Amino acid sequence: MTETVAMQALARLVPPGSRVLDLGCGDGAMLDYLQRERGCTGYGVEIADANVLACVQRGVQVLQLNLEEGLAMFGDNSFDVVLQIDTLQHLHNAETMLRETARVGRTGVVAFPNFAHWPNRLSILRGRMPVTRRLPYQWYDTPNIRVGTYKDFEVLATKNSLRILESFGLEGGEEVRWLPNARAGTAVFHFERA
Amino acid sequence: MSFIATPQTMHFTEALPLQSGASIRDYHLAYETYGTLNADRSNAVLVCHALNASHHVAGVYEGQDKSEGWWDNMIGPGKSVDTDRFFVIGVNNLGSCFGSTGPMHVHPDTGEVYGADFPVVTVEDWVNAQARLLDRLGIPQLAAVLGGSLGGMQALSWTLQYPERMRYAVVVASAPNLTAENIAFNEVARRAIVTDPDFHGGHFYRHGVVPKRGLRIARMIGHITYLSDDVMNEKFGRSLRAPTLPASRGSLPPEGADPARGGPAPDLRDYLYSTQDIEFQIESYLRYQGDKFSDYFDANTYLLITRALDYFDPARAHGGNLTRALASARAKFLLVSFTTDWRFSPARSREIVKALLDNRRGVSYAEIDAPHGHDAFLLDDARYMGVMRSYFDSIHEELQP
């Protein structure tokens, strides 16, 4: 989900000049964009060697760490915004990491594939797990070990005392505000600790 | 074939005050430089060396086979630290045995060889001496200070002692101090040297002997800690030394050997059932490394340098708080560690990263999944070299007007 439009929609949630921590920052494109277009500073966290190299190449500060080991390295409220873009669904300790995101950042932004998007529902109705552009993996060989829906996240946020500041769906780079749980392939939540 | 390097020497008459309260005067520093200092003197990179290395960082010596500098794989024309762009300086530390003033030189006060009377020097003292060299070379600010292991400690110390004198600090396979286990290894090495009957309290030069037995054992234990269990097993396993091979060949198992089974050639023989002969390949390798080392390394230097390692602890003056200790640093950092390095483990590098994050300093951190233990910082690894190259590329870009 590195399409420029989607990136811009998410970047809108990051105030200019913010200190940003991007968990699972990939090749650093988002941080690079935030640094250039919105005057932000910050660090990316990545585990994959190729992504770490890509970040260094584009001048994005990157820390090669395993998110499954937690965020003990980062102090409370030490960032204005903590991003988890297409990261949550890969984590065993997804709930802990959500709490950690809220601890380390004044606000958090989480984006993940919405399993309740209608093509996915249709696929399930037909009796098969969905294989789509957004969820391109076979069920037996997917890095997406946490499959949840837009609505599921609302429940999880409440359980963890998170106040949702804004939420919407993303589909084809466009924001989806009406029935996002059915109409959007990606769920986006901007939250803070309640 | 690398480029030709030429060692130089700078003499300093003015006394250098040392952390211990002592001082050293009339000393010289051996150094090498590669590349060209640019017009605004902004492209200098200082490389700090580790325990048994020197100012000969890159290049080869004219007419000398196999004389590549210790970081020749990383530094040179077109390499990760590109000497077509950067003016790279390697400097030999005080107390060393490769050209700078050390225990085998004459004490100007007594006219006698220093020996055990060479003052104890610390990482901070070395950095001060290096800073004086930069003054003489007319370099107000480094583009970067770079070092691995003990050299990384110097790079870190540079950012605290002279925060404004570098833009970047690159700290590889290093630590904010030594753990008890690490000091323990150093102490075993020191005791091996000091208890060698040829040591003579550090004044062995006047007796015309060298405490080689101690040096050999010091090197053997050191060497074990620089490798990983996996790499040792892969290289040697339980292979027996092939009796047909000459001793000097003993550094590697025979071609095609299956380490798990002891290798084809040694399979043909039974154990020697001897407690003192070389039975296993690993023994042969360690003895070879020890012998080689004792031929060129100075015993007093080994004591001094391991002590400098033990003493380094910038957090000590801040109640053990590394975050407070690093508050004065201004440089942007790159830290690199290696997953199988148990002498300077990734966790120790992460402590530095955390302290820098606490201080909101610029930092990147690469944890390279390499099998070679601490030695990995001297070896070629595409991921390691790629990160170093890209980082120095971005430093170079920043230097452009």
Side-chain angles (χ1 to χ4, degrees):
Chain A
M1 201 185 51
T2 50
E3 298 93 336
T4 319
V5 222
M7 200 159 72
Q8 284 165 352
L10 293 167
R12 198 178 53 71
L13 302 173
V14 181
S18 292
R19 202 175 129 79
V20 180
L21 181 65
D22 187 352
L23 303 176
C25 66
D27 62 7
M30 183 70 183
L31 268 177
D32 193 18
Y33 179 84
L34 289 171
Q35 285 171 190
R36 280 185 292 107
E37 303 296 324
R38 294 180 80 81
C40 295
T41 57
Y43 316 88
V45 174
E46 249 301 325
I47 191 165
D49 294 324
N51 282 335
V52 169
L53 181 61
C55 288
V56 175
Q57 276 168 348
R58 70 198 317 160
V60 163
Q61 301 193 108
V62 63
L63 308 172
Q64 190 163 25
L65 302 170
N66 184 355
L67 289 175
E68 299 287 5
E69 288 166 17
L71 295 180
M73 188 175 275
F74 305 96
D76 296 358
N77 284 321
S78 51
F79 291 89
D80 297 314
V81 184
V82 177
L83 303 174
Q84 266 199 55
I85 299 167
D86 268 356
T87 301
L88 189 73
Q89 71 265 27
H90 304 311
L91 299 174
H92 282 279
N93 57 357
E95 185 179 10
T96 308
M97 281 302 298
L98 185 61
R99 279 201 296 267
E100 283 285 274
T101 296
R103 174 184 69 80
V104 168
R106 278 180 237 287
T107 70
V109 174
V110 165
F112 63 94
N114 172 30
F115 203 73
H117 190 206
W118 68 265
N120 301 337
R121 299 186 190 206
L122 206 60
S123 182
I124 296 287
L125 274 178
R126 289 201 197 102
R128 296 292 307 274
M129 284 295 276
V131 178
T132 63
R133 206 165 63 86
R134 186 72 179 98
L135 293 167
Y137 306 98
Q138 292 290 344
W139 65 275
Y140 50 82
D141 185 25
T142 175
N144 299 322
I145 56 172
R146 302 290 177 214
V147 282
T149 69
Y150 189 99
K151 269 197 174 166
D152 286 333
F153 190 88
E154 289 177 335
V155 175
L156 184 64
T158 308
K159 177 175 177 253
N160 285 283
S161 308
L162 303 180
R163 182 186 300 124
I164 293 168
L165 302 168
E166 188 178 352
S167 65
F168 53 85
L170 275 179
E171 185 54 40
E174 298 293 318
E175 291 182 20
V176 179
R177 305 263 170 187
W178 180 61
L179 299 177
N181 196 36
R183 297 180 58 238
T186 298
V188 180
F189 288 84
H190 185 203
F191 57 86
E192 63 181 9
R193 282 189 312 283
Chain B
M1 181 64 181
S2 196
F3 64 97
I4 302 293
T6 311
Q8 304 173 70
T9 304
M10 189 84 81
H11 183 249
F12 298 80
T13 45
E14 195 194 338
L16 179 76
L18 303 173
Q19 229 182 357
S20 64
S23 69
I24 184 164
R25 67 178 176 90
D26 260 332
Y27 61 91
H28 41 266
L29 293 180
Y31 69 100
E32 291 179 9
T33 69
Y34 325 111
T36 311
L37 189 62
N38 62 10
D40 58 358
R41 297 167 179 274
S42 64
N43 68 332
V45 174
L46 177 69
V47 181
C48 305
H49 71 75
L51 203 160
N52 68 330
S54 72
H55 52 295
H56 184 42
V57 178
V60 293
Y61 290 145
E62 180 109 59
Q64 285 185 40
D65 271 358
K66 295 183 178 170
S67 62
E68 284 84 4
W70 55 272
W71 235 346
D72 188 68
N73 58 346
M74 187 157 77
I75 297 168
K79 294 185 180 172
S80 299
V81 182
D82 188 349
T83 52
D84 291 335
R85 295 168 164 185
F86 294 105
F87 178 65
V88 176
I89 306 157
V91 52
N92 190 213
N93 285 324
L94 282 172
S96 179
C97 53
F98 295 114
S100 292
T101 299
M104 71 299 299
H105 293 115
V106 172
H107 193 319
D109 291 348
T110 63
E112 301 268 320
V113 169
Y114 276 107
D117 298 330
F118 195 88
V120 168
V121 282
T122 63
V123 166
E124 286 80 359
D125 296 331
W126 286 336
V127 168
N128 287 332
Q130 291 162 9
R132 283 189 175 184
L133 178 68
L134 294 194
D135 293 343
R136 289 280 195 88
L137 296 174
I139 296 163
Q141 189 193 45
L142 295 162
V145 57
L146 158 66
S149 191
L150 174 60
M153 289 175 164
Q154 292 160 60
L156 178 60
S157 201
W158 257 100
T159 68
L160 309 178
Q161 291 175 252
Y162 300 96
E164 308 294 342
R165 281 196 84 166
M166 81 293 299
R167 291 166 185 257
Y168 290 88
V170 180
V171 177
V172 182
S174 197
N177 61 19
L178 291 194
T179 58
E181 184 187 57
N182 242 316
I183 296 171
F185 283 123
N186 284 346
E187 177 60 4
V188 173
R190 281 191 295 266
R191 292 313 294 168
I193 291 169
V194 168
T195 57
D196 185 323
D198 284 338
F199 184 64
H200 296 286
H203 295 289
F204 50 89
Y205 317 94
R206 20 178 117 132
H207 295 83
V209 293
V210 171
K212 284 199 169 194
R213 282 162 289 188
L215 274 168
R216 283 189 198 110
I217 292 164
R219 181 55 171 174
M220 285 166 86
I221 185 146
H223 207 88
I224 294 166
T225 69
Y226 305 146
L227 302 177
S228 68
D229 192 24
D230 282 352
V231 101
M232 264 204 206
N233 271 326
E234 193 187 316
K235 247 174 138 174
F236 307 105
R238 293 185 49 83
S239 290
L240 302 180
R241 187 168 77 144
T244 50
L245 294 173
S248 63
R249 171 65 182 75
S251 58
L252 285 171
E255 206 62 42
D258 176 3
R261 295 179 54 250
D267 267 0
L268 302 176
R269 75 165 171 87
D270 199 356
Y271 287 156
L272 300 172
Y273 296 102
S274 158
T275 56
Q276 297 187 28
D277 291 319
I278 296 177
E279 183 74 275
F280 294 94
Q281 284 287 6
I282 182 62
E283 299 170 355
S284 168
Y285 175 76
L286 284 177
R287 289 198 198 187
Y288 171 72
Q289 292 294 334
D291 285 347
K292 206 171 65 168
F293 188 72
S294 69
D295 282 342
Y296 71 82
F297 210 84
D298 180 80
N300 283 310
T301 292
Y302 203 90
L303 304 183
L304 286 166
I305 296 188
T306 53
R307 229 2 165 196
L309 269 161
D310 295 354
Y311 280 143
F312 182 68
D313 186 8
R316 188 166 183 262
H318 300 268
N321 186 322
L322 189 63
T323 296
R324 287 219 302 274
L326 300 197
S328 56
R330 291 291 171 273
K332 289 182 190 151
F333 283 76
L334 170 66
L335 284 107
V336 180
S337 73
F338 301 92
T339 49
T340 54
D341 183 351
W342 54 281
R343 190 93 201 245
F344 290 81
S345 72
R348 305 308 320 275
S349 285
R350 280 189 232 121
E351 286 176 40
I352 300 174
V353 173
K354 181 182 186 314
L356 291 167
L357 288 171
D358 289 343
N359 284 298
R360 305 194 159 200
R361 296 285 171 257
V363 53
S364 282
Y365 171 58
E367 196 169 297
I368 308 292
D369 186 13
H372 306 99
H374 187 54
D375 260 0
F377 90 91
L378 296 168
L379 302 174
D380 277 322
D381 178 291
R383 292 157 297 180
Y384 170 37
M385 289 297 156
V387 166
M388 294 298 280
R389 177 182 290 274
S390 301
Y391 200 76
F392 275 91
D393 280 351
S394 65
I395 296 175
H396 173 70
E397 267 170 47
E398 194 190 287
L399 293 176
Q400 302 315 300

